[in-house]
Amino acid sequence: MTFVLDAATTVNVRSDGRYQVAVDERFWNGDHAFGGWTAAVTVAAWQAEQACRGELVTQNIQFHAAIKGPEVLVETTLVERRRSVDFWHVAVLAPSREHRVLAAATLVAGQRRDSEIGFERRSASYRPQKDSFRLQRQPVSPSWFDHYEIYLAIGRPFAVNESPHSVTYVRESDGRALDAKALTAMLDTPMPRTFFCGERLPFSSTVAMSTHIYASDAELATAGDGFITLDVDCQTIRHRILNQESRAYR
């Protein structure tokens, strides 16, 4: 079985370090591609490289312009290789003569090693998924919403909450198991924090997103196709700019 996310992030080799990717409208966000899909595409291109090694530790991606065409080009460059850590640059380009950069990501991959020193801040206790509210796609919802099952445990969108804090349970609706590529997309599913600060629907766009994965690939796999918890908060909304922090738990 080919899962939707894998089909939508298939990279076709054009030349060394360059790939062609069809923009799948199942991951559309209004009139352009979903940022989570773009993030997952950069991971898929990195994974397709023969020099790919280790596990994804960090992805920092900037969204320069909306992706609206039927396809994009993706270029990968190994910037630096250390003994156990690699630094990659992955650019998403418009397939035009100018090859305009639509998004650019820096990926850090490493070989995880055990350590005697450890600390982990545990998640709080939330309302169970079975008692939470299922978010259904509405006429204004993006098409990618159909790909996920999302249950809201904390927070009331389109209302003035005490804070912009929310908690959701999320999984892919076709039963695909969690991995690093899926997680980079899933972390872009929470609603903007402004949705929890007023009754209007203020549209916004993500200009930059950083993902840090502390679990090993083997630990991610233990989540299977079950729900993960996204605890999402915000430190500031000012000058039409906001930050959004998502913490993902099994």
Side-chain angles (χ1 to χ4, degrees):
M1 176 181 179
T2 300
F3 293 104
V4 173
L5 180 66
D6 297 318
T9 56
T10 300
V11 295
N12 300 299
V13 180
R14 289 280 297 271
S15 59
D16 289 345
R18 177 171 284 191
Y19 304 89
Q20 180 268 336
V21 183
V23 180
D24 196 313
E25 292 192 6
R26 289 174 294 184
F27 286 89
W28 216 241
N29 195 20
D31 65 346
H32 59 276
F34 171 46
W37 172 85
T38 307
V41 163
T42 68
V43 175
W46 162 69
Q47 291 174 333
E49 283 293 316
Q50 289 186 350
C52 170
R53 65 169 188 167
E55 300 179 359
L56 182 63
V57 177
T58 295
Q59 178 199 61
N60 295 297
I61 184 168
Q62 295 181 342
F63 303 96
H64 298 189
I67 297 175
K68 297 186 177 185
E71 65 179 25
V72 292
L73 297 178
V74 183
E75 287 186 344
T76 61
T77 305
L78 178 58
V79 178
E80 182 72 27
R81 167 155 284 175
R82 298 183 183 176
R83 184 172 63 179
S84 60
V85 177
D86 294 339
F87 296 83
W88 290 81
H89 181 266
V90 183
V92 181
L93 311 171
S96 60
R97 184 176 302 174
E98 296 80 14
H99 287 169
R100 179 189 183 192
V101 178
L102 303 175
T106 300
L107 277 63
V108 181
Q111 300 174 12
R112 300 185 191 273
R113 295 177 292 177
D114 293 332
S115 171
E116 295 179 356
I117 301 174
F119 171 77
E120 184 173 342
R121 189 178 300 279
R122 300 290 179 175
S123 65
S125 297
Y126 311 117
R127 179 188 304 163
Q129 176 268 322
K130 63 182 180 64
D131 297 328
S132 299
F133 177 73
R134 172 79 183 268
L135 296 178
Q136 303 284 358
R137 185 179 178 186
Q138 303 298 321
V140 295
S141 300
S143 64
W144 59 258
F145 208 87
D146 286 336
H147 180 61
Y148 297 99
E149 290 183 49
I150 304 176
Y151 287 81
L152 183 65
I154 293 177
R156 184 182 175 192
F158 316 123
V160 180
N161 293 259
E162 184 177 344
S163 76
H165 178 231
S166 70
V167 174
T168 56
Y169 297 99
V170 186
R171 69 178 176 185
E172 298 193 47
S173 56
D174 62 354
R176 187 188 187 280
L178 185 70
D179 62 8
K181 181 175 71 171
L183 186 59
T184 62
M186 203 173 290
L187 286 170
D188 199 31
T189 61
M191 289 179 275
R193 296 302 89 191
T194 48
F195 284 23
F196 297 89
C197 296
E199 298 178 356
R200 294 187 302 109
L201 182 63
F203 291 100
S204 62
S205 62
T206 305
V207 295
M209 184 168 69
S210 297
T211 298
H212 309 287
I213 302 177
Y214 306 111
S216 67
D217 286 354
E219 289 169 332
L220 286 176
T222 64
D225 61 355
F227 287 97
I228 66 168
T229 306
L230 290 182
D231 186 322
V232 189
D233 214 335
C234 174
Q235 298 300 318
T236 186
I237 301 174
R238 186 182 301 166
H239 306 311
R240 301 179 67 87
I241 297 174
L242 63 92
N243 87 309
Q244 186 154 307
E245 302 171 4
S246 301
R247 289 173 170 80
Y249 300 92
R250 284 180 289 183

